[in-house]
Amino acid sequence: MSGQADFSGLLARTQAIEHEVAELAQSMSKSEVVGSAAGGGVTVTVADSDYQAVYIDPQLMESCDADELADLVLAALRDGAEQLRVQASERMTLLTESINRLAG
């Protein structure tokens, strides 16, 4: 009976881990961040690893040339991508801790 109990426990832990992974995947697909540059003068909304919106403060368009605006948009894109990377890293850390807890 002990072998069957061990197997049942292992199966339950495996299912719990699968559930945690599925929840992580779902939460990752619902991520939305706003990358910004120039103190919020340029923002880029990133959702589901897809760019959703770009905002450029009209005052920046008057005070910057095209190259400067392009650099600010690129900086906002990079900020959004970094935020997504940090979120993914934090979630993977939580998942790893959860797997270790369930496996232990």
Side-chain angles (χ1 to χ4, degrees):
M1 280 302 233
S2 177
Q4 187 174 10
D6 289 343
F7 181 74
S8 294
L10 178 61
L11 181 60
R13 287 193 306 268
T14 300
Q15 289 172 337
I17 290 169
E18 287 175 345
H19 179 72
E20 295 268 347
V21 170
E23 283 185 353
L24 175 66
Q26 184 178 20
S27 72
M28 291 291 290
S29 71
K30 294 180 180 180
S31 292
E32 180 175 297
V33 298
V34 177
S36 66
V42 176
T43 62
V44 177
T45 303
V46 186
D48 301 332
S49 298
D50 188 31
Y51 300 104
Q52 302 291 314
V54 174
Y55 168 78
I56 300 173
D57 185 326
Q59 291 180 340
L60 278 177
M61 293 172 35
E62 294 173 7
S63 63
C64 294
D65 65 25
D67 288 336
E68 291 170 322
L69 282 176
D71 288 343
L72 291 172
V73 170
L74 185 57
L77 289 168
R78 287 181 176 147
D79 182 52
E82 176 63 12
Q83 288 182 50
L84 286 174
R85 187 197 67 72
V86 168
Q87 279 185 4
S89 177
E90 289 171 350
R91 288 181 177 147
M92 288 304 294
T93 298
L94 291 173
L95 178 63
T96 301
E97 290 170 357
S98 181
I99 289 171
N100 289 338
R101 180 180 41 79
L102 291 168

